[in-house]
Amino acid sequence: MPKVVDHDGRRVELIEAAWRTIARTGWDSATMAAIAAEAGFSNGALKPYFATKDDLLAAAFDYIYVQTGRRMAAATAGKHGLTALRAYCREILPLDDTTLDEARIVIPFWYKALASPHLAARHEHAMREWRQQLQRHLTEARDAGEIRTPIPDEHVIGHLLTALLGAQITATLMPTLETAQTLTAQLDSFLTLLKPV
Amino acid sequence: MPKVVDHDGRRVELIEAAWRTIARTGWDSATMAAIAAEAGFSNGALKPYFATKDDLLAAAFDYIYVQTGRRMAAATAGKHGLTALRAYCREILPLDDTTLDEARIVIPFWYKALASPHLAARHEHAMREWRQQLQRHLTEARDAGEIRTPIPDEHVIGHLLTALLGAQITATLMPTLETAQTLTAQLDSFLTLLKPV
């Protein structure tokens, strides 16, 4: 009988191996051979799934986006308004080993996206989805009277997402200045500023 | 008579050429030969000044840091407190062609710094300087009663700088979502939230 290969399963295994390898050694050092070895496959095993390292990076970005989305759904389940908004934002912040590793993938992704309209479009699509979710939680918080700032929603959301993306930089590159504690305090401070006076 | 070469001048010419080439074509496409050609020099002209492309990127970061510092000094001259704080922050935001190009250099720099403690230390040093300046303007604004938020200074400054760094990402990768207008409005909104009630 021919061996049955679970192609979707293997694809995810390879993405996870890529993700671990890139986070640990950096994008430049993470060769296709090193990623295959991390996943326990031979050198050529990646090619049928990902023709180039850029394809793999795009898939790793999608994977992180889906994983973050799952965490957001779990963290906001049963929560409403400002509490849900806070829980949602916290899942974007790099606060633990997993999310710090995600930041170490997303920075190479941004760098590659600068020269790739295709990757930039993928990023923008993801960010538009997050903005919509932020809007949903913000509207709920306003309806509940938990947020009463005169600042228009679009600026609250734009600023919040820009700061959450900036945290990927500060947490990975300045770990002595910005920690889980300071980034959480900054998020809470900003949300406090939006409350009723 | 032997030709006298202005080495410092040539170094700056090469950094500026590198900066233009990287911003236009992306880091990967900006070869040492392309950068030398942009500066009007032969292929080998870079080596005596920058042994590797990474050295050139580090020099380009320093150059942008110095240029931004000059703009900050000019923009805040004669200003005080909240007005100076706003002017200072605006010089970090990517609001025009020059500062958007700077963002297109700083993102590759961040990416390289992820795997280079030396570059990360250089970045942290620069950010510590900026935080000190932000603190100086914030203290002045508090003393003048222009800012009265109960949020501690360190969180105001940490959040502000994180958002200003995040803007490098959003302005370059999502130019339809974040423009000079939206980024300025977000900065002004945040500063408004800090004012007395």
Side-chain angles (χ1 to χ4, degrees), chain B residues 74-95:
Chain B
T76 57
K79 296 194 179 78
H80 299 281
L82 187 59
T83 314
L85 180 63
R86 180 180 186 271
Y88 190 87
C89 292
R90 274 179 57 86
E91 294 307 322
I92 304 175
L93 283 178
L95 301 180

Side-chain angles (χ1 to χ4, degrees), chain A residues 28 111-112 131 159 178, chain B residues 28 111-112 131 159 178:
Chain A
D28 288 341
Y111 150 70
K112 287 283 172 183
R131 285 167 73 121
H159 178 83
E178 299 297 357
Chain B
D28 287 342
Y111 150 70
K112 288 281 174 187
R131 284 167 73 122
H159 178 83
E178 299 298 357

Side-chain angles (χ1 to χ4, degrees), chain A residues 11 16 21 32 38 41-42 81 120 125 136 142 145 147 150 158 161 164 166 169 171 177 179 195:
Chain A
R11 208 179 133 85
E16 287 177 346
T21 312
M32 293 290 259
E38 170 77 32
F41 295 113
S42 65
H125 175 79
R136 196 167 64 81
R142 281 210 194 261
I147 284 180
L161 190 54
L164 293 169
I169 306 292
L177 277 175
T179 61
K195 284 184 187 176

Side-chain angles (χ1 to χ4, degrees), chain B residues 1-5 10:
Chain B
M1 259 176 63
K3 206 166 93 182
V4 176
V5 176
R10 179 166 288 188

Side-chain angles (χ1 to χ4, degrees), chain B residues 35-181:
Chain B
I35 293 164
E38 170 77 32
F41 295 114
S42 66
N43 201 347
L46 265 78
K47 287 278 169 188
Y49 298 92
F50 308 100
T52 66
K53 236 175 99 175
D54 283 10
D55 290 344
L56 195 51
L57 185 63
F61 175 79
D62 288 348
Y63 179 77
I64 288 172
Y65 177 65
V66 169
Q67 292 297 108
T68 307
R70 281 191 191 146
R71 287 199 313 265
M72 286 163 164
T76 57
K79 296 194 179 78
H80 299 281
L82 187 59
T83 314
L85 180 63
R86 180 180 186 271
Y88 190 87
C89 292
R90 274 179 57 86
E91 294 307 322
I92 304 175
L93 283 178
L95 301 180
D96 61 20
D97 288 347
T98 301
T99 46
L100 276 164
D101 274 355
E102 287 176 356
R104 288 187 195 100
I105 306 297
V106 88
I107 295 169
F109 179 85
W110 287 335
Y111 150 70
K112 288 281 174 187
L114 274 181
S116 163
H118 169 70
L119 294 185
R122 197 177 282 234
H123 181 252
E124 184 172 324
H125 176 79
M127 293 307 102
R128 282 183 187 271
E129 293 247 343
W130 284 4
R131 284 167 73 122
Q132 274 179 20
Q133 291 301 315
L134 289 169
Q135 178 68 67
R136 197 167 64 82
H137 296 307
L138 180 56
T139 301
E140 218 178 62
R142 282 208 193 261
D143 290 348
E146 296 169 317
I147 284 181
R148 284 198 191 139
T149 182
I151 307 294
D153 283 4
E154 65 166 304
H155 297 329
V156 172
I157 290 164
H159 178 83
L160 199 45
L161 189 55
T162 296
L164 294 169
L165 298 190
Q168 314 301 312
I169 306 292
T170 56
T172 50
L173 290 183
M174 306 190 286
T176 54
L177 276 174
E178 299 298 357
T179 61
Q181 202 185 350

